[in-house]
Amino acid sequence: MEYFVGAEQAFVFILSDTGLQYVELEEPSIINAKVRQFNQLLISQQASMETLAETSSQLHQLLVERPLSNLYSPTTHLVIIPDGVLLQLPFDVLMSESKAGASLAYLIEQYSISYAYSNRLLFDATPEVQAPLIFGGFGLEYDDYTLAGLNDYADEANANVPST
């Protein structure tokens, strides 16, 4: 599912085993407002679970459920390629009502989810190049304060070494 959120239109392109299709989404201003509202609710300590669930369910319906409703074959794995404000949306925690309507289900409970940030990554036919030798290494990183302390210590240690 690759999303495109433009200035005036928004689309999701869905590539499945049955082919490529696209669905026009709500106006980008509506999507932007819903995503910002949802993210604010996620970080708010005063948000009620009902409000969070309602906003989450609306986003689920708009961005996932409605676009996937036209697929001919059921899917168990989603590769999500977000765009614009959707880069800030944690799709995994979007909620939908269960089939019975009694409880909420997270998107991550319905599908295995992967994220990609360019459709080129999905179709890159370049073979992976393997290094001829195996190498494992590590390096230490010091900030300026730590380096200054190490230099002072080294200077003191060198000063205390007797010369021959």
Side-chain angles (χ1 to χ4, degrees):
M1 300 181 75
E2 182 170 7
Y3 293 89
F4 168 76
V5 181
E8 296 180 20
Q9 291 180 303
F11 297 93
V12 59
F13 299 90
I14 302 168
L15 180 63
S16 68
D17 56 354
T18 59
L20 176 68
Q21 58 183 319
Y22 73 94
V23 176
E24 186 170 359
L25 301 173
E26 295 287 334
E27 292 180 20
S29 59
I30 294 171
I31 294 171
N32 292 341
K34 283 285 179 208
V35 170
R36 286 192 180 99
Q37 178 187 11
F38 181 67
N39 285 338
Q40 286 298 320
L41 290 169
L42 283 175
I43 61 174
S44 173
Q45 295 181 1
Q46 278 75 37
S48 69
M49 186 59 184
E50 292 80 21
T51 306
L52 181 66
E54 180 181 335
T55 305
S56 178
S57 181
Q58 290 170 355
L59 282 168
H60 179 276
Q61 172 68 26
L62 170 71
L63 299 173
V64 180
E65 191 173 326
R66 189 172 66 85
L68 290 179
S69 66
N70 293 331
L71 286 181
Y72 296 113
S73 61
T75 185
T76 58
H77 182 79
L78 298 179
V79 177
I80 295 173
I81 306 170
D83 181 48
V85 73
L86 298 180
L87 287 162
Q88 302 169 13
L89 180 66
F91 280 83
D92 309 54
V93 297
L94 292 181
M95 294 179 249
S96 69
E97 290 184 10
S98 67
K99 300 285 186 212
S103 64
L104 296 171
Y106 291 100
L107 189 64
I108 193 75
E109 295 173 327
Q110 298 171 321
Y111 303 98
S112 64
I113 299 173
S114 301
Y115 290 92
Y117 296 97
S118 169
N119 63 5
R120 184 172 171 260
L121 297 174
L122 294 174
F123 303 111
D124 192 2
T126 308
E128 291 185 25
V129 178
Q130 198 142 29
L133 299 174
I134 296 175
F135 172 78
F138 67 94
L140 300 175
E141 182 178 341
Y142 297 105
D143 58 22
D144 291 340
Y145 178 75
T146 305
L147 283 175
L150 289 173
N151 286 334
D152 291 345
Y153 177 75
D155 291 342
E156 286 178 27
N158 288 336
N160 294 332
V161 174
S163 59
T164 55

